[in-house]
Amino acid sequence: GEDVEQSLFLSVREGDSSVINCTYTDSSSTYLYWYKQEPGAGLQLLTYIFSNMDMKQDQRLTVLLNKKDKHLSLRIADTQTGDSAIYFCAVTSGTYKYIFGTGTRLKVLA
Amino acid sequence: DTEVTQTPKHLVMGMTNKKSLKCEQHMGHRAMYWYKQKAKKPPELMFVYSYEKLSINESVPSRFSPECPNSSLLNLHLHALQPEDSALYLCASSQTTGSGNIQYFGAGTRLSVL
């Protein structure tokens, strides 16, 4: 079945850029997503990218998709302490299912 | 408005209790989901309703009983739960056509089973 992997932990200094990586095994996913989860909260949709795109930029967020290597990344520019959270990538599997990555805990140091 | 509302925010129940979790959305979405999330893990899909009909049941134990009274509401009825069922329960909704099935999540109900 589909497998989606992320590194578990990332620590950056405030003002630096953060890059969170995600690798997946099934290339048939038409959409790929990034969600943010703060402690005790639900999942907040950050951005998504269609599989025929290589890049999408949305304010401080840049998503890069390398379909050949099945690699997705999320870059956060000028990272702030409020960006500290767990970040999940997700890919579609069929009409309704998401396959979530393992989640990356981002810690921003002041 | 991309809001999915879940109530209650917190719930403590004994193993013999019966309780219900509620979820509501007014985005006109026709697909609604229940997920279970344990600490530091990704959400796990439990159920999917599409046009008020149960579309997916991920082999969830019968002590969890979903219900979709109408296109805006989703309930999860709980009975005879076990301590290992303690988790964050998340509801989500999405359109069923186009837009890549973007799922919007509620804030969750944190359930503790004693």
Side-chain angles (χ1 to χ4, degrees), chain B residues 25-94:
Chain B
Q25 57 87 16
H26 295 288
M27 295 179 277
H29 290 171
R30 302 308 296 271
M32 296 186 75
Y33 309 74
W34 281 115
Y35 287 86
K36 174 183 178 181
Q37 187 180 27
K38 297 288 253 184
K40 300 182 182 179
K41 297 290 186 184
E44 298 172 8
L45 183 65
M46 299 174 72
F47 303 103
V48 180
Y49 273 82
S50 175
Y51 292 90
E52 296 100 70
K53 292 195 184 329
L54 184 63
S55 179
I56 295 175
N57 176 343
E58 292 286 89
S59 302
V60 178
S62 60
R63 58 186 184 268
F64 295 91
S65 176
E67 179 196 20
C68 191
N70 60 56
S71 60
S72 300
L73 293 175
L74 185 66
N75 298 321
L76 186 63
H77 303 297
L78 314 173
H79 174 55
L81 294 193
Q82 303 298 308
E84 60 264 29
D85 297 321
S86 298
L88 181 68
Y89 288 84
L90 294 165
C91 174
S93 70
S94 72

Side-chain angles (χ1 to χ4, degrees), chain A residues 12-18 36 60 76-85 87 106-110:
Chain A
V12 300
R13 295 211 172 271
E14 193 173 22
D16 288 350
S17 292
S18 307
K36 174 185 180 182
R60 292 192 298 124
I76 305 172
D78 186 26
T79 311
Q80 302 297 308
T81 54
D83 294 323
S84 293
Y87 290 79
L106 174 63
K107 183 173 182 179
V108 182
L109 306 171

Side-chain angles (χ1 to χ4, degrees), chain A residues 7-45:
Chain A
S7 52
L8 287 180
F9 190 76
L10 176 65
S11 178
V12 300
R13 295 211 172 271
E14 193 173 22
D16 288 350
S17 292
S18 307
V19 179
I20 302 171
N21 295 302
C22 173
T23 58
Y24 57 96
T25 56
D26 185 354
S27 60
S28 66
S29 299
T30 51
Y31 285 86
L32 303 96
Y33 311 86
W34 284 104
Y35 284 86
K36 174 185 180 182
Q37 187 174 33
E38 297 185 48
L43 273 69
Q44 174 194 351
L45 177 70

